[in-house]
Amino acid sequence: MTLPLHMRRDGFAPAAELAAARDEEGVRLFETPIGDRVWLVTRVADVRRVLGDPARFGNSARHLVPGAPALSDEELARVRPGNVLGYDPPEHTRLRRLLAPGFTARRVRLLEAGVHGIVRDHLDAMADAGPPADLVPAFALPVPSLVICELLGVPYAERAEFQQRAADFFDVSLTPEQRMDVALRSRAYLAGLVDRARVDPGDDLLGVLVRAGELDGDELVGVADLLLLAGHETTANMLGLGVHALLRHPDQLRLLRERPDLVDGAVEELLRWLTVVHTGVPRVVTADVELGGRELAEGDLVVCSLPAANRDPDLLPDADELDLTRRPTGHVAFGHGAHHCLGAPLARLEMRAAFPALLRRFPALRLAGEPEFRPTQVVYGLSSLPVTW
């Protein structure tokens, strides 16, 4: 299939035509393969302006999956309740306030020992099985899966099912009928999970939300759906793609192995340089406005390219270079403004635990074949990463 401009990549980098859109225009009108006319915003200052101003650039809930057909009324009614990405203030503020306690610095610190244990267990399993291995199913997928399972109280034995649903949901090549089928199966599973939590609420986040009593059943299902999909897919793809990037840059890999104190900055640089989320939720212009020298009309659809913005020369003079010693840059890999990723602290914790531990455990880690990219996914990454050691 022909990918929308904002989803086009060349390996780790935005495709040449996407970089050219940033360097030549900044804000460009284009037509997607399914016929939507969209303003593509590619420069970091303009991206921050759009994402930071929900009054002028409002939520487009019908386009929760950028690049896919707009959601029908039926689909919207099923997937929007409880999905914090589907709202602007004040409803967004209410939902985010209820979810925020699950991602405080204190709560994340309480998860730290468990995350390190999960990483260690999967490295042990890789070592016991011996080389070669496919790092995606052996490590990149199961580590964040188990973390999210523990956060929400999902039985780990059921992780494979929701991993597949997540991959299907974020695949823009699906037909509307296929997407509706995924949504129905996901909601049915999660409704059962919520019912269990209501009967016996545990100490996990879902149990905390049930006891708080401020979300109805549909909203609880929506919260669980968002966290399972977004929280798992993003971190899993950062782990797989991040290891691939390090293997392709052996000087940077060696530096991180020898200098584990660099890990915080290294994670930020990998987040910036890879930017696995192509775009935040599309926005709709609420009143005629000027942006990047272009006149946008009320009702126009706006998509922000996060990878292009994170390689904007105005952000860094050598933004196409991977440099793990770089000072943090204020990247937009987690979005910006009110919709800045709520789970960012947890994602950072998982990456800070996973990358150094993997490199220490397997000092001779190297590619054992060609990785397979997932170009049709809203969250960019790899479906396979063959390695040996």
Side-chain angles (χ1 to χ4, degrees):
M1 66 172 292
T2 302
L3 290 173
L5 181 56
H6 66 268
M7 291 183 65
R8 296 178 196 169
R9 303 268 187 142
D10 181 11
F12 301 116
E17 59 266 35
L18 183 53
R22 177 196 63 219
D23 298 340
E24 296 168 7
E25 297 172 86
V27 179
R28 173 185 289 185
L29 186 64
F30 77 103
E31 186 170 302
T32 72
I34 59 174
D36 290 331
R37 284 167 55 84
V38 177
W39 288 104
L40 178 65
V41 182
T42 49
R43 292 178 182 165
V44 68
D46 293 331
V47 166
R48 286 173 177 155
R49 182 182 171 196
V50 170
L51 298 182
D53 189 353
R56 288 187 176 87
F57 302 95
N59 190 278
S60 176
R62 291 190 182 277
H63 296 86
L64 280 173
V65 181
L71 296 172
S72 66
D73 289 343
E74 183 183 2
E75 289 173 310
L76 191 62
R78 290 186 179 278
V79 305
R80 195 182 191 199
N83 187 335
V84 70
L85 298 179
Y87 297 93
D88 282 324
E91 184 62 13
H92 173 271
T93 307
R94 180 185 77 90
L95 289 170
R96 193 175 177 103
R97 174 182 58 80
L98 293 173
L99 294 176
F103 298 96
T104 61
R106 177 180 174 276
R107 178 92 180 185
V108 169
R109 281 196 301 272
L110 292 175
L111 295 170
E112 188 166 359
V115 169
H116 281 279
I118 290 167
V119 168
R120 184 173 56 252
D121 289 347
H122 284 83
L123 294 178
D124 288 346
M126 283 178 60
D128 290 344
D134 186 339
L135 198 75
V136 172
F139 188 72
L141 279 177
V143 167
S145 292
L146 187 49
V147 172
I148 289 294
C149 285
E150 292 197 353
L151 182 71
L152 284 175
V154 177
Y156 187 52
E158 299 172 8
R159 73 191 187 283
E161 184 180 353
F162 83 71
Q163 283 175 2
Q164 186 57 55
R165 279 198 303 270
D168 290 344
F169 185 80
F170 287 120
D171 189 340
V172 300
S173 68
L174 261 63
T175 65
E177 293 76 21
Q178 290 171 321
R179 188 174 307 285
M180 174 60 87
D181 179 63
V182 173
L184 288 172
R185 286 188 287 115
S186 181
R187 302 291 287 200
Y189 168 75
L190 292 167
L193 190 68
V194 167
D195 287 343
R196 280 180 270 171
R198 282 175 145 171
V199 172
D200 184 21
D203 294 329
D204 52 79
L205 180 57
L206 200 54
V208 170
L209 293 173
V210 165
R211 284 194 296 273
E214 295 190 53
L215 296 172
D216 63 29
D218 285 343
E219 288 177 324
L220 286 167
V221 170
V223 165
D225 202 15
L226 173 64
L227 294 178
L228 281 174
L229 292 173
H232 162 257
E233 278 290 291
T234 50
T235 308
N237 284 291
M238 267 302 303
L239 291 178
L241 204 60
V243 172
H244 184 203
L246 292 170
L247 292 173
R248 294 293 191 187
H249 294 78
D251 58 328
Q252 300 297 300
L253 183 151
R254 184 170 55 253
L255 184 65
L256 183 55
R257 181 185 290 123
E258 295 173 355
R259 293 277 312 278
D261 58 297
L262 294 176
V263 66
D264 288 358
V267 165
E268 297 308 309
E269 175 68 350
L270 286 166
L271 283 163
R272 179 199 70 83
W273 197 72
L274 296 169
T275 312
V276 296
V277 179
H278 296 297
T279 174
V281 174
R283 318 301 295 170
V284 171
V285 178
T286 59
D288 295 358
V289 66
E290 182 275 333
L291 181 71
R294 307 299 294 269
E295 297 297 327
L296 280 59
E298 181 180 353
D300 283 354
L301 194 63
V302 178
V303 165
C304 293
S305 172
L306 304 182
N310 275 338
R311 292 187 180 220
D312 188 343
D314 287 342
L315 179 67
L316 290 168
D318 56 348
D320 285 325
E321 301 298 318
L322 178 65
D323 179 2
L324 301 189
T325 66
R326 200 191 302 275
R327 296 181 65 182
T329 56
H331 62 74
V332 291
F334 285 122
H336 180 72
H339 288 284
H340 183 273
C341 177
L342 188 63
L346 181 58
R348 286 184 168 111
L349 167 61
E350 292 177 62
M351 285 181 275
R352 288 198 306 265
F355 288 130
L358 176 70
L359 300 182
R360 285 195 308 269
R361 186 64 178 272
F362 302 113
L365 190 73
R366 60 193 184 275
L367 290 172
E370 283 301 311
E372 295 179 11
F373 288 88
R374 306 192 315 166
T376 65
Q377 296 287 330
V378 171
V379 182
Y380 189 59
L382 301 171
S383 57
S384 176
L385 181 61
V387 295
T388 190
W389 54 89

